[in-house]
């Protein structure tokens, strides 16, 4: 087998990044028709131009509720003395839900492509309903924020390619991930 060319790789990466927008728009639509409540998705995703099929809404509902159920059980079992690392997090809003429910882990990490992280950080910086909860949960003197990462007391976002494990692990450790 031959190795994919740079252009093939870029096209494949773009397809993967595109799932972020598609998932976020589908979640926002499902929220808008009452499948579950998520007051933060509106700050990340545009409203869908057309109705989504009930199967799509139900699929996202099942996935979101299933992940939430597992996270809540894990946080309860560990009494929030844990860390959560979300790989390929996209425009997920779980951190804000956990903050609202007062069940934040010691640290919540998100990792995604740098371009997706840059978009998410732009939204966080420009929309107080997103930035305020991060600041409320932050107890350090200064918050680290640049174009591809954010590090606060309980929440970190890291731009990294999941295929480069060494680089990703270094970034996670830099922001306080406990490898144990």
């Amino acid at each position: 087998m031959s190795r994919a060319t740079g252009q093939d790789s870029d096209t494949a990466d773009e397809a993967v990044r595109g799932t972020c927008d598609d998932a976020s728009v589908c979640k926002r639509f499902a929220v808008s028709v009452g499948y579950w409540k998520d007051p933060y998705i509106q700050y990340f995703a545009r409203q869908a131009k057309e109705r989504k099929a009930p199967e799509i809404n139900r699929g996202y509902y099942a996935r979101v509720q299933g992940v939430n159920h597992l996270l809540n059980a894990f946080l309860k079992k560990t009494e929030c003395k844990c860390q959560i690392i979300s790989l390929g997090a996209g425009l997920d809003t779980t951190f804000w839900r956990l903050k609202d429910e007062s069940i934040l882990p010691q640290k919540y990490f998100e990792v995604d492509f740098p371009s997706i992280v840059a978009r998410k950080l732009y939204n966080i910086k420009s929309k107080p309903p997103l930035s305020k909860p991060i600041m409320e949960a932050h107890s350090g003197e200064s918050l680290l924020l640049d174009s591809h990462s954010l590090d606060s007391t309980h929440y970190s976002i890291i731009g990294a390619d999941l295929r480069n494990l060494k680089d990703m692990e270094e970034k996670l450790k830099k922001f306080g991930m406990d490898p144990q």
Side-chain angles (χ1 to χ4, degrees), residues 89-111:
L91 303 176
D92 186 65
T93 60
T94 301
F95 167 81
W96 290 272
R97 177 186 70 81
L98 297 175
K99 167 76 170 74
D100 286 351
E101 295 175 12
S102 298
I103 54 171
L104 281 176
Q106 288 176 326
K107 190 87 170 211
Y108 190 91
F109 297 92
E110 292 184 342
V111 181

mmCIF file with all atom_site columns, all heavy atoms in Angstrom, residues 89-111:
data_model
loop_
_atom_site.group_PDB
_atom_site.id
_atom_site.type_symbol
_atom_site.label_atom_id
_atom_site.label_alt_id
_atom_site.label_comp_id
_atom_site.label_asym_id
_atom_site.label_entity_id
_atom_site.label_seq_id
_atom_site.pdbx_PDB_ins_code
_atom_site.Cartn_x
_atom_site.Cartn_y
_atom_site.Cartn_z
_atom_site.occupancy
_atom_site.B_iso_or_equiv
_atom_site.pdbx_formal_charge
_atom_site.auth_seq_id
_atom_site.auth_comp_id
_atom_site.auth_asym_id
_atom_site.auth_atom_id
_atom_site.pdbx_PDB_model_num
ATOM 1   N N   . ALA A 1 89  ? -13.258 16.533 20.928 1.00 0.00 ? 89  ALA A N   1
ATOM 2   C CA  . ALA A 1 89  ? -14.379 17.157 21.641 1.00 0.00 ? 89  ALA A CA  1
ATOM 3   C C   . ALA A 1 89  ? -15.245 18.049 20.762 1.00 0.00 ? 89  ALA A C   1
ATOM 4   O O   . ALA A 1 89  ? -16.417 18.249 21.065 1.00 0.00 ? 89  ALA A O   1
ATOM 5   C CB  . ALA A 1 89  ? -13.850 17.970 22.828 1.00 0.00 ? 89  ALA A CB  1
ATOM 6   N N   . GLY A 1 90  ? -14.686 18.595 19.701 1.00 0.00 ? 90  GLY A N   1
ATOM 7   C CA  . GLY A 1 90  ? -15.481 19.482 18.851 1.00 0.00 ? 90  GLY A CA  1
ATOM 8   C C   . GLY A 1 90  ? -16.021 20.656 19.625 1.00 0.00 ? 90  GLY A C   1
ATOM 9   O O   . GLY A 1 90  ? -15.331 21.274 20.432 1.00 0.00 ? 90  GLY A O   1
ATOM 10  N N   . LEU A 1 91  ? -17.297 20.961 19.408 1.00 0.00 ? 91  LEU A N   1
ATOM 11  C CA  . LEU A 1 91  ? -17.951 22.099 20.049 1.00 0.00 ? 91  LEU A CA  1
ATOM 12  C C   . LEU A 1 91  ? -18.844 21.638 21.193 1.00 0.00 ? 91  LEU A C   1
ATOM 13  O O   . LEU A 1 91  ? -19.877 22.240 21.483 1.00 0.00 ? 91  LEU A O   1
ATOM 14  C CB  . LEU A 1 91  ? -18.740 22.895 19.000 1.00 0.00 ? 91  LEU A CB  1
ATOM 15  C CG  . LEU A 1 91  ? -17.893 23.399 17.820 1.00 0.00 ? 91  LEU A CG  1
ATOM 16  C CD1 . LEU A 1 91  ? -18.772 24.086 16.783 1.00 0.00 ? 91  LEU A CD1 1
ATOM 17  C CD2 . LEU A 1 91  ? -16.778 24.315 18.285 1.00 0.00 ? 91  LEU A CD2 1
ATOM 18  N N   . ASP A 1 92  ? -18.430 20.583 21.849 1.00 0.00 ? 92  ASP A N   1
ATOM 19  C CA  . ASP A 1 92  ? -19.190 19.996 22.951 1.00 0.00 ? 92  ASP A CA  1
ATOM 20  C C   . ASP A 1 92  ? -19.389 20.997 24.088 1.00 0.00 ? 92  ASP A C   1
ATOM 21  O O   . ASP A 1 92  ? -18.551 21.854 24.335 1.00 0.00 ? 92  ASP A O   1
ATOM 22  C CB  . ASP A 1 92  ? -18.439 18.763 23.465 1.00 0.00 ? 92  ASP A CB  1
ATOM 23  C CG  . ASP A 1 92  ? -19.239 18.012 24.503 1.00 0.00 ? 92  ASP A CG  1
ATOM 24  O OD1 . ASP A 1 92  ? -20.298 17.474 24.150 1.00 0.00 ? 92  ASP A OD1 1
ATOM 25  O OD2 . ASP A 1 92  ? -18.800 17.971 25.666 1.00 0.00 ? 92  ASP A OD2 1
ATOM 26  N N   . THR A 1 93  ? -20.493 20.857 24.791 1.00 0.00 ? 93  THR A N   1
ATOM 27  C CA  . THR A 1 93  ? -20.851 21.794 25.873 1.00 0.00 ? 93  THR A CA  1
ATOM 28  C C   . THR A 1 93  ? -20.873 21.123 27.248 1.00 0.00 ? 93  THR A C   1
ATOM 29  O O   . THR A 1 93  ? -21.389 21.694 28.207 1.00 0.00 ? 93  THR A O   1
ATOM 30  C CB  . THR A 1 93  ? -22.234 22.417 25.601 1.00 0.00 ? 93  THR A CB  1
ATOM 31  O OG1 . THR A 1 93  ? -23.205 21.360 25.533 1.00 0.00 ? 93  THR A OG1 1
ATOM 32  C CG2 . THR A 1 93  ? -22.255 23.219 24.301 1.00 0.00 ? 93  THR A CG2 1
ATOM 33  N N   . THR A 1 94  ? -20.308 19.943 27.366 1.00 0.00 ? 94  THR A N   1
ATOM 34  C CA  . THR A 1 94  ? -20.374 19.189 28.618 1.00 0.00 ? 94  THR A CA  1
ATOM 35  C C   . THR A 1 94  ? -19.786 19.945 29.801 1.00 0.00 ? 94  THR A C   1
ATOM 36  O O   . THR A 1 94  ? -20.345 19.903 30.902 1.00 0.00 ? 94  THR A O   1
ATOM 37  C CB  . THR A 1 94  ? -19.693 17.818 28.463 1.00 0.00 ? 94  THR A CB  1
ATOM 38  O OG1 . THR A 1 94  ? -20.364 17.101 27.423 1.00 0.00 ? 94  THR A OG1 1
ATOM 39  C CG2 . THR A 1 94  ? -19.743 17.016 29.741 1.00 0.00 ? 94  THR A CG2 1
ATOM 40  N N   . PHE A 1 95  ? -18.660 20.628 29.613 1.00 0.00 ? 95  PHE A N   1
ATOM 41  C CA  . PHE A 1 95  ? -18.070 21.374 30.728 1.00 0.00 ? 95  PHE A CA  1
ATOM 42  C C   . PHE A 1 95  ? -19.097 22.302 31.360 1.00 0.00 ? 95  PHE A C   1
ATOM 43  O O   . PHE A 1 95  ? -19.235 22.361 32.590 1.00 0.00 ? 95  PHE A O   1
ATOM 44  C CB  . PHE A 1 95  ? -16.850 22.196 30.281 1.00 0.00 ? 95  PHE A CB  1
ATOM 45  C CG  . PHE A 1 95  ? -16.416 23.194 31.322 1.00 0.00 ? 95  PHE A CG  1
ATOM 46  C CD1 . PHE A 1 95  ? -15.627 22.801 32.392 1.00 0.00 ? 95  PHE A CD1 1
ATOM 47  C CD2 . PHE A 1 95  ? -16.831 24.516 31.259 1.00 0.00 ? 95  PHE A CD2 1
ATOM 48  C CE1 . PHE A 1 95  ? -15.254 23.714 33.382 1.00 0.00 ? 95  PHE A CE1 1
ATOM 49  C CE2 . PHE A 1 95  ? -16.456 25.434 32.227 1.00 0.00 ? 95  PHE A CE2 1
ATOM 50  C CZ  . PHE A 1 95  ? -15.677 25.031 33.292 1.00 0.00 ? 95  PHE A CZ  1
ATOM 51  N N   . TRP A 1 96  ? -19.854 23.035 30.566 1.00 0.00 ? 96  TRP A N   1
ATOM 52  C CA  . TRP A 1 96  ? -20.821 24.006 31.099 1.00 0.00 ? 96  TRP A CA  1
ATOM 53  C C   . TRP A 1 96  ? -21.964 23.308 31.823 1.00 0.00 ? 96  TRP A C   1
ATOM 54  O O   . TRP A 1 96  ? -22.440 23.792 32.837 1.00 0.00 ? 96  TRP A O   1
ATOM 55  C CB  . TRP A 1 96  ? -21.321 24.915 29.966 1.00 0.00 ? 96  TRP A CB  1
ATOM 56  C CG  . TRP A 1 96  ? -20.245 25.844 29.507 1.00 0.00 ? 96  TRP A CG  1
ATOM 57  C CD1 . TRP A 1 96  ? -19.956 27.082 30.021 1.00 0.00 ? 96  TRP A CD1 1
ATOM 58  C CD2 . TRP A 1 96  ? -19.277 25.615 28.486 1.00 0.00 ? 96  TRP A CD2 1
ATOM 59  N NE1 . TRP A 1 96  ? -18.878 27.622 29.377 1.00 0.00 ? 96  TRP A NE1 1
ATOM 60  C CE2 . TRP A 1 96  ? -18.435 26.747 28.428 1.00 0.00 ? 96  TRP A CE2 1
ATOM 61  C CE3 . TRP A 1 96  ? -19.026 24.568 27.614 1.00 0.00 ? 96  TRP A CE3 1
ATOM 62  C CZ2 . TRP A 1 96  ? -17.382 26.865 27.535 1.00 0.00 ? 96  TRP A CZ2 1
ATOM 63  C CZ3 . TRP A 1 96  ? -17.970 24.684 26.713 1.00 0.00 ? 96  TRP A CZ3 1
ATOM 64  C CH2 . TRP A 1 96  ? -17.159 25.818 26.681 1.00 0.00 ? 96  TRP A CH2 1
ATOM 65  N N   . ARG A 1 97  ? -22.407 22.148 31.316 1.00 0.00 ? 97  ARG A N   1
ATOM 66  C CA  . ARG A 1 97  ? -23.440 21.380 32.020 1.00 0.00 ? 97  ARG A CA  1
ATOM 67  C C   . ARG A 1 97  ? -22.932 20.948 33.386 1.00 0.00 ? 97  ARG A C   1
ATOM 68  O O   . ARG A 1 97  ? -23.623 21.109 34.397 1.00 0.00 ? 97  ARG A O   1
ATOM 69  C CB  . ARG A 1 97  ? -23.859 20.149 31.210 1.00 0.00 ? 97  ARG A CB  1
ATOM 70  C CG  . ARG A 1 97  ? -24.899 19.283 31.947 1.00 0.00 ? 97  ARG A CG  1
ATOM 71  C CD  . ARG A 1 97  ? -25.219 17.990 31.225 1.00 0.00 ? 97  ARG A CD  1
ATOM 72  N NE  . ARG A 1 97  ? -24.151 17.012 31.232 1.00 0.00 ? 97  ARG A NE  1
ATOM 73  C CZ  . ARG A 1 97  ? -23.882 16.185 32.255 1.00 0.00 ? 97  ARG A CZ  1
ATOM 74  N NH1 . ARG A 1 97  ? -24.591 16.237 33.377 1.00 0.00 ? 97  ARG A NH1 1
ATOM 75  N NH2 . ARG A 1 97  ? -22.902 15.302 32.169 1.00 0.00 ? 97  ARG A NH2 1
ATOM 76  N N   . LEU A 1 98  ? -21.727 20.412 33.425 1.00 0.00 ? 98  LEU A N   1
ATOM 77  C CA  . LEU A 1 98  ? -21.164 19.961 34.700 1.00 0.00 ? 98  LEU A CA  1
ATOM 78  C C   . LEU A 1 98  ? -21.003 21.129 35.667 1.00 0.00 ? 98  LEU A C   1
ATOM 79  O O   . LEU A 1 98  ? -21.268 20.990 36.869 1.00 0.00 ? 98  LEU A O   1
ATOM 80  C CB  . LEU A 1 98  ? -19.826 19.252 34.471 1.00 0.00 ? 98  LEU A CB  1
ATOM 81  C CG  . LEU A 1 98  ? -19.875 17.972 33.636 1.00 0.00 ? 98  LEU A CG  1
ATOM 82  C CD1 . LEU A 1 98  ? -18.472 17.435 33.389 1.00 0.00 ? 98  LEU A CD1 1
ATOM 83  C CD2 . LEU A 1 98  ? -20.761 16.921 34.281 1.00 0.00 ? 98  LEU A CD2 1
ATOM 84  N N   . LYS A 1 99  ? -20.584 22.264 35.172 1.00 0.00 ? 99  LYS A N   1
ATOM 85  C CA  . LYS A 1 99  ? -20.441 23.461 36.022 1.00 0.00 ? 99  LYS A CA  1
ATOM 86  C C   . LYS A 1 99  ? -21.804 23.868 36.581 1.00 0.00 ? 99  LYS A C   1
ATOM 87  O O   . LYS A 1 99  ? -21.942 24.126 37.775 1.00 0.00 ? 99  LYS A O   1
ATOM 88  C CB  . LYS A 1 99  ? -19.812 24.605 35.207 1.00 0.00 ? 99  LYS A CB  1
ATOM 89  C CG  . LYS A 1 99  ? -19.879 25.984 35.842 1.00 0.00 ? 99  LYS A CG  1
ATOM 90  C CD  . LYS A 1 99  ? -18.882 26.165 36.958 1.00 0.00 ? 99  LYS A CD  1
ATOM 91  C CE  . LYS A 1 99  ? -18.761 27.591 37.435 1.00 0.00 ? 99  LYS A CE  1
ATOM 92  N NZ  . LYS A 1 99  ? -19.833 28.105 38.227 1.00 0.00 ? 99  LYS A NZ  1
ATOM 93  N N   . ASP A 1 100 ? -22.816 23.908 35.729 1.00 0.00 ? 100 ASP A N   1
ATOM 94  C CA  . ASP A 1 100 ? -24.174 24.270 36.168 1.00 0.00 ? 100 ASP A CA  1
ATOM 95  C C   . ASP A 1 100 ? -24.701 23.314 37.226 1.00 0.00 ? 100 ASP A C   1
ATOM 96  O O   . ASP A 1 100 ? -25.437 23.713 38.129 1.00 0.00 ? 100 ASP A O   1
ATOM 97  C CB  . ASP A 1 100 ? -25.151 24.295 34.983 1.00 0.00 ? 100 ASP A CB  1
ATOM 98  C CG  . ASP A 1 100 ? -24.970 25.503 34.083 1.00 0.00 ? 100 ASP A CG  1
ATOM 99  O OD1 . ASP A 1 100 ? -24.201 26.430 34.455 1.00 0.00 ? 100 ASP A OD1 1
ATOM 100 O OD2 . ASP A 1 100 ? -25.583 25.519 32.996 1.00 0.00 ? 100 ASP A OD2 1
ATOM 101 N N   . GLU A 1 101 ? -24.340 22.036 37.113 1.00 0.00 ? 101 GLU A N   1
ATOM 102 C CA  . GLU A 1 101 ? -24.817 21.019 38.052 1.00 0.00 ? 101 GLU A CA  1
ATOM 103 C C   . GLU A 1 101 ? -23.885 20.846 39.255 1.00 0.00 ? 101 GLU A C   1
ATOM 104 O O   . GLU A 1 101 ? -24.114 19.967 40.087 1.00 0.00 ? 101 GLU A O   1
ATOM 105 C CB  . GLU A 1 101 ? -25.005 19.687 37.312 1.00 0.00 ? 101 GLU A CB  1
ATOM 106 C CG  . GLU A 1 101 ? -26.104 19.749 36.266 1.00 0.00 ? 101 GLU A CG  1
ATOM 107 C CD  . GLU A 1 101 ? -26.240 18.476 35.441 1.00 0.00 ? 101 GLU A CD  1
ATOM 108 O OE1 . GLU A 1 101 ? -25.634 17.446 35.815 1.00 0.00 ? 101 GLU A OE1 1
ATOM 109 O OE2 . GLU A 1 101 ? -26.951 18.522 34.426 1.00 0.00 ? 101 GLU A OE2 1
ATOM 110 N N   . SER A 1 102 ? -22.859 21.680 39.336 1.00 0.00 ? 102 SER A N   1
ATOM 111 C CA  . SER A 1 102 ? -21.876 21.637 40.434 1.00 0.00 ? 102 SER A CA  1
ATOM 112 C C   . SER A 1 102 ? -21.243 20.253 40.607 1.00 0.00 ? 102 SER A C   1
ATOM 113 O O   . SER A 1 102 ? -21.073 19.768 41.720 1.00 0.00 ? 102 SER A O   1
ATOM 114 C CB  . SER A 1 102 ? -22.521 22.088 41.749 1.00 0.00 ? 102 SER A CB  1
ATOM 115 O OG  . SER A 1 102 ? -22.964 23.411 41.629 1.00 0.00 ? 102 SER A OG  1
ATOM 116 N N   . ILE A 1 103 ? -20.910 19.635 39.487 1.00 0.00 ? 103 ILE A N   1
ATOM 117 C CA  . ILE A 1 103 ? -20.247 18.330 39.536 1.00 0.00 ? 103 ILE A CA  1
ATOM 118 C C   . ILE A 1 103 ? -19.003 18.323 38.636 1.00 0.00 ? 103 ILE A C   1
ATOM 119 O O   . ILE A 1 103 ? -18.750 17.357 37.915 1.00 0.00 ? 103 ILE A O   1
ATOM 120 C CB  . ILE A 1 103 ? -21.205 17.171 39.180 1.00 0.00 ? 103 ILE A CB  1
ATOM 121 C CG1 . ILE A 1 103 ? -21.886 17.385 37.828 1.00 0.00 ? 103 ILE A CG1 1
ATOM 122 C CG2 . ILE A 1 103 ? -22.215 16.933 40.281 1.00 0.00 ? 103 ILE A CG2 1
ATOM 123 C CD1 . ILE A 1 103 ? -22.676 16.175 37.334 1.00 0.00 ? 103 ILE A CD1 1
ATOM 124 N N   . LEU A 1 104 ? -18.225 19.392 38.702 1.00 0.00 ? 104 LEU A N   1
ATOM 125 C CA  . LEU A 1 104 ? -16.999 19.456 37.909 1.00 0.00 ? 104 LEU A CA  1
ATOM 126 C C   . LEU A 1 104 ? -15.946 18.492 38.452 1.00 0.00 ? 104 LEU A C   1
ATOM 127 O O   . LEU A 1 104 ? -15.776 18.381 39.667 1.00 0.00 ? 104 LEU A O   1
ATOM 128 C CB  . LEU A 1 104 ? -16.407 20.869 37.950 1.00 0.00 ? 104 LEU A CB  1
ATOM 129 C CG  . LEU A 1 104 ? -17.026 21.922 37.061 1.00 0.00 ? 104 LEU A CG  1
ATOM 130 C CD1 . LEU A 1 104 ? -16.367 23.272 37.309 1.00 0.00 ? 104 LEU A CD1 1
ATOM 131 C CD2 . LEU A 1 104 ? -16.912 21.539 35.596 1.00 0.00 ? 104 LEU A CD2 1
ATOM 132 N N   . PRO A 1 105 ? -15.232 17.829 37.554 1.00 0.00 ? 105 PRO A N   1
ATOM 133 C CA  . PRO A 1 105 ? -14.083 17.049 38.011 1.00 0.00 ? 105 PRO A CA  1
ATOM 134 C C   . PRO A 1 105 ? -12.967 18.008 38.417 1.00 0.00 ? 105 PRO A C   1
ATOM 135 O O   . PRO A 1 105 ? -13.076 19.218 38.195 1.00 0.00 ? 105 PRO A O   1
ATOM 136 C CB  . PRO A 1 105 ? -13.686 16.258 36.758 1.00 0.00 ? 105 PRO A CB  1
ATOM 137 C CG  . PRO A 1 105 ? -14.126 17.130 35.627 1.00 0.00 ? 105 PRO A CG  1
ATOM 138 C CD  . PRO A 1 105 ? -15.388 17.805 36.108 1.00 0.00 ? 105 PRO A CD  1
ATOM 139 N N   . GLN A 1 106 ? -11.895 17.461 38.969 1.00 0.00 ? 106 GLN A N   1
ATOM 140 C CA  . GLN A 1 106 ? -10.763 18.328 39.297 1.00 0.00 ? 106 GLN A CA  1
ATOM 141 C C   . GLN A 1 106 ? -10.276 19.048 38.042 1.00 0.00 ? 106 GLN A C   1
ATOM 142 O O   . GLN A 1 106 ? -9.905  20.213 38.109 1.00 0.00 ? 106 GLN A O   1
ATOM 143 C CB  . GLN A 1 106 ? -9.637  17.517 39.934 1.00 0.00 ? 106 GLN A CB  1
ATOM 144 C CG  . GLN A 1 106 ? -9.996  17.082 41.332 1.00 0.00 ? 106 GLN A CG  1
ATOM 145 C CD  . GLN A 1 106 ? -8.940  16.181 41.959 1.00 0.00 ? 106 GLN A CD  1
ATOM 146 O OE1 . GLN A 1 106 ? -8.284  15.392 41.295 1.00 0.00 ? 106 GLN A OE1 1
ATOM 147 N NE2 . GLN A 1 106 ? -8.787  16.314 43.258 1.00 0.00 ? 106 GLN A NE2 1
ATOM 148 N N   . LYS A 1 107 ? -10.289 18.359 36.910 1.00 0.00 ? 107 LYS A N   1
ATOM 149 C CA  . LYS A 1 107 ? -9.897  18.999 35.652 1.00 0.00 ? 107 LYS A CA  1
ATOM 150 C C   . LYS A 1 107 ? -10.630 18.332 34.502 1.00 0.00 ? 107 LYS A C   1
ATOM 151 O O   . LYS A 1 107 ? -10.746 17.110 34.446 1.00 0.00 ? 107 LYS A O   1
ATOM 152 C CB  . LYS A 1 107 ? -8.383  18.873 35.457 1.00 0.00 ? 107 LYS A CB  1
ATOM 153 C CG  . LYS A 1 107 ? -7.806  19.691 34.338 1.00 0.00 ? 107 LYS A CG  1
ATOM 154 C CD  . LYS A 1 107 ? -7.450  21.092 34.802 1.00 0.00 ? 107 LYS A CD  1
ATOM 155 C CE  . LYS A 1 107 ? -6.653  21.810 33.730 1.00 0.00 ? 107 LYS A CE  1
ATOM 156 N NZ  . LYS A 1 107 ? -5.709  22.773 34.238 1.00 0.00 ? 107 LYS A NZ  1
ATOM 157 N N   . TYR A 1 108 ? -11.158 19.151 33.609 1.00 0.00 ? 108 TYR A N   1
ATOM 158 C CA  . TYR A 1 108 ? -11.852 18.689 32.411 1.00 0.00 ? 108 TYR A CA  1
ATOM 159 C C   . TYR A 1 108 ? -11.033 19.155 31.212 1.00 0.00 ? 108 TYR A C   1
ATOM 160 O O   . TYR A 1 108 ? -10.834 20.346 31.010 1.00 0.00 ? 108 TYR A O   1
ATOM 161 C CB  . TYR A 1 108 ? -13.266 19.282 32.355 1.00 0.00 ? 108 TYR A CB  1
ATOM 162 C CG  . TYR A 1 108 ? -14.132 18.684 31.283 1.00 0.00 ? 108 TYR A CG  1
ATOM 163 C CD1 . TYR A 1 108 ? -14.932 17.586 31.548 1.00 0.00 ? 108 TYR A CD1 1
ATOM 164 C CD2 . TYR A 1 108 ? -14.150 19.207 29.994 1.00 0.00 ? 108 TYR A CD2 1
ATOM 165 C CE1 . TYR A 1 108 ? -15.730 17.026 30.563 1.00 0.00 ? 108 TYR A CE1 1
ATOM 166 C CE2 . TYR A 1 108 ? -14.936 18.653 29.002 1.00 0.00 ? 108 TYR A CE2 1
ATOM 167 C CZ  . TYR A 1 108 ? -15.728 17.563 29.292 1.00 0.00 ? 108 TYR A CZ  1
ATOM 168 O OH  . TYR A 1 108 ? -16.512 16.999 28.312 1.00 0.00 ? 108 TYR A OH  1
ATOM 169 N N   . PHE A 1 109 ? -10.509 18.195 30.447 1.00 0.00 ? 109 PHE A N   1
ATOM 170 C CA  . PHE A 1 109 ? -9.686  18.489 29.281 1.00 0.00 ? 109 PHE A CA  1
ATOM 171 C C   . PHE A 1 109 ? -10.462 18.198 28.004 1.00 0.00 ? 109 PHE A C   1
ATOM 172 O O   . PHE A 1 109 ? -11.176 17.196 27.935 1.00 0.00 ? 109 PHE A O   1
ATOM 173 C CB  . PHE A 1 109 ? -8.435  17.594 29.252 1.00 0.00 ? 109 PHE A CB  1
ATOM 174 C CG  . PHE A 1 109 ? -7.496  17.782 30.394 1.00 0.00 ? 109 PHE A CG  1
ATOM 175 C CD1 . PHE A 1 109 ? -7.616  17.007 31.545 1.00 0.00 ? 109 PHE A CD1 1
ATOM 176 C CD2 . PHE A 1 109 ? -6.457  18.703 30.316 1.00 0.00 ? 109 PHE A CD2 1
ATOM 177 C CE1 . PHE A 1 109 ? -6.727  17.148 32.597 1.00 0.00 ? 109 PHE A CE1 1
ATOM 178 C CE2 . PHE A 1 109 ? -5.573  18.852 31.367 1.00 0.00 ? 109 PHE A CE2 1
ATOM 179 C CZ  . PHE A 1 109 ? -5.705  18.081 32.510 1.00 0.00 ? 109 PHE A CZ  1
ATOM 180 N N   . GLU A 1 110 ? -10.277 19.044 27.013 1.00 0.00 ? 110 GLU A N   1
ATOM 181 C CA  . GLU A 1 110 ? -10.797 18.786 25.676 1.00 0.00 ? 110 GLU A CA  1
ATOM 182 C C   . GLU A 1 110 ? -9.639  18.885 24.694 1.00 0.00 ? 110 GLU A C   1
ATOM 183 O O   . GLU A 1 110 ? -8.799  19.786 24.804 1.00 0.00 ? 110 GLU A O   1
ATOM 184 C CB  . GLU A 1 110 ? -11.859 19.811 25.278 1.00 0.00 ? 110 GLU A CB  1
ATOM 185 C CG  . GLU A 1 110 ? -13.127 19.705 26.076 1.00 0.00 ? 110 GLU A CG  1
ATOM 186 C CD  . GLU A 1 110 ? -14.207 20.671 25.603 1.00 0.00 ? 110 GLU A CD  1
ATOM 187 O OE1 . GLU A 1 110 ? -13.905 21.645 24.891 1.00 0.00 ? 110 GLU A OE1 1
ATOM 188 O OE2 . GLU A 1 110 ? -15.361 20.435 25.966 1.00 0.00 ? 110 GLU A OE2 1
ATOM 189 N N   . VAL A 1 111 ? -9.614  17.969 23.733 1.00 0.00 ? 111 VAL A N   1
ATOM 190 C CA  . VAL A 1 111 ? -8.582  17.968 22.692 1.00 0.00 ? 111 VAL A CA  1
ATOM 191 C C   . VAL A 1 111 ? -9.271  17.854 21.345 1.00 0.00 ? 111 VAL A C   1
ATOM 192 O O   . VAL A 1 111 ? -10.194 17.043 21.178 1.00 0.00 ? 111 VAL A O   1
ATOM 193 C CB  . VAL A 1 111 ? -7.603  16.785 22.873 1.00 0.00 ? 111 VAL A CB  1
ATOM 194 C CG1 . VAL A 1 111 ? -6.527  16.809 21.794 1.00 0.00 ? 111 VAL A CG1 1
ATOM 195 C CG2 . VAL A 1 111 ? -6.990  16.768 24.263 1.00 0.00 ? 111 VAL A CG2 1
#
